Amino acid sequence: MKTVSNYVDGRWVDPRVEHFHSINPATGEALASAPASDAAAVAAAVAAARRAFDKGDWRWRKGSERARALLAFADALAARAQDISELIAREMGKPVRVNLAREVEGAVDKLRYFAGAARFLEGQVTAGTAPEIWDMVLPEPAGVAALIIPWNDPVDLAVRKLGAALAAGCTTVVKSSEVTPASTAALIEAADASGAFPAGVINLVHGPGEPTGEALVDHPGVDKISFTGSTATGIRIMERAAKRLAKVSLECGGKFPALIMPDADLERCLDAVTYGAFMYAGQSCTACTRLIVHESLHDRVVAGVVARTKALKIGDPLDPAVLVGPMASRKQYDKAAGYIRLGLSEGGRAVTGGDPGERRDLFLPPTVLVDLPATARIAREEVFGPVLVVHRCRDEDEALAIANDTPYGLGGSIWSQDINRALRLARWLDVADVWINTHYIRHVETSFGGRHLSGLGRELGMAGVEEYLSWKRLCIDTRSSFHLKDWFEGPGGRA
């Protein structure tokens, strides 16, 4: 069993606290031991980040110097890509076939993008004022950033936050998920091995939301909080941060709809939505959880999705042929299985999968439910498991009504070969991220975020870097005489 430590002020440290274990969900065996950091352990990490920000030179380094550090970090991570990919598969259960290309190599690419972004932080000079006055806005790093990482993408999602924060000049405290501490620790090990960052710029603590996460969110030395995870937790973080008006960005839940119109390219569509529904065993905020299908295509779509679902290989996530691994934890398994039973009780019919019954393992068969009313809870609430619900619609208006009848607003897809129709639907679909005739294409150059209960703020792109900036206005008066003199000495003024 691997033992992982906190990383504070450039050193690996073991606070005198109880340890918890992460579990290999495919085997049930303990995989890693990590400290359940208490308030004192969190305070030590924040103090190191605070010193590095207030007294160190990271925030003042030229963009090109921060860029070189991020590139060195990327190279160190690339050298460990295969090992970390296999570690994620063992600790989280996500197939290694997905991890290497999408997660670890994707994280390397993001670090290299953020290296470029560090060189392109620009302020503004305002025109239209008096010619003798220079009025400008300058970007400065927000300060100490607390980065709270989810378990479903323990490396890639960490880099989305960490790379942006470092590019902006912030110092950081990363909190890993209690489900995947070893995976996120492996990322920080790569940063440490690069030798590119001053002590205190990057810090890592392990532990659950309570007490570790709460201590981090509540700490007065933290200026910025970035969180990815459940909506309920995001709301609690925002409530706690509001007490001191800390800067917050949240990427929370989703209930991704796919609108399939009569002229959709079905073969392409069915491949994409089936993969989108069951990648990571559905444990993704952008999983395709609802198909809203024109009634003329309904039966063909259901038959096509069922055939593709049954062809998915389920099993050991270290097997390169496997596309669907286990659920990440017993908690996640029980939640998803409970939603399947709820959907059946709400009138749904399982055309594949269904109630898993009593199982000792965490392999939950992908389930497709039909005949549910659009108002059913399983049709409106986030399941975070391998569950797909299929609805009929008569026309575009009904498709949009069903798609928008949820408190989430993260993303959705539209399937139509009529570009005018697709663009029209895209404008009325109440989500922040729309794909047309594809699912889950994302580039680091383009920002991503959510509406409503899906969160606030952006990640990726320059907008993601700006989440870690604070803006300072600077006004310079170059006139030779004091411009308020007339007020003091003119007519009606003071002599």
Side-chain angles (χ1 to χ4, degrees), residues 148-227:
I148 303 176
I149 311 304
W151 48 262
N152 62 328
D153 283 305
V155 169
D156 184 74
L157 280 169
V159 164
R160 294 186 196 186
K161 303 176 188 300
L162 183 58
L166 295 172
C170 292
T171 59
T172 62
V173 180
V174 177
K175 191 198 87 67
S176 69
S177 165
E178 62 270 33
V179 177
T180 52
S183 299
T184 301
L187 170 69
I188 305 306
E189 287 170 3
D192 181 52
S194 74
F197 299 96
V201 170
I202 300 174
N203 302 275
L204 170 69
V205 295
H206 302 287
E210 184 181 355
T212 313
E214 290 184 351
L216 187 55
V217 168
D218 292 345
H219 199 291
V222 170
D223 303 295
K224 156 74 181 181
I225 302 160
S226 178
F227 166 79

Side-chain angles (χ1 to χ4, degrees), residues 482 484-495:
F482 186 43
L484 292 181
K485 181 178 180 182
D486 290 343
W487 186 85
F488 285 104
E489 299 181 356
R494 297 187 308 187

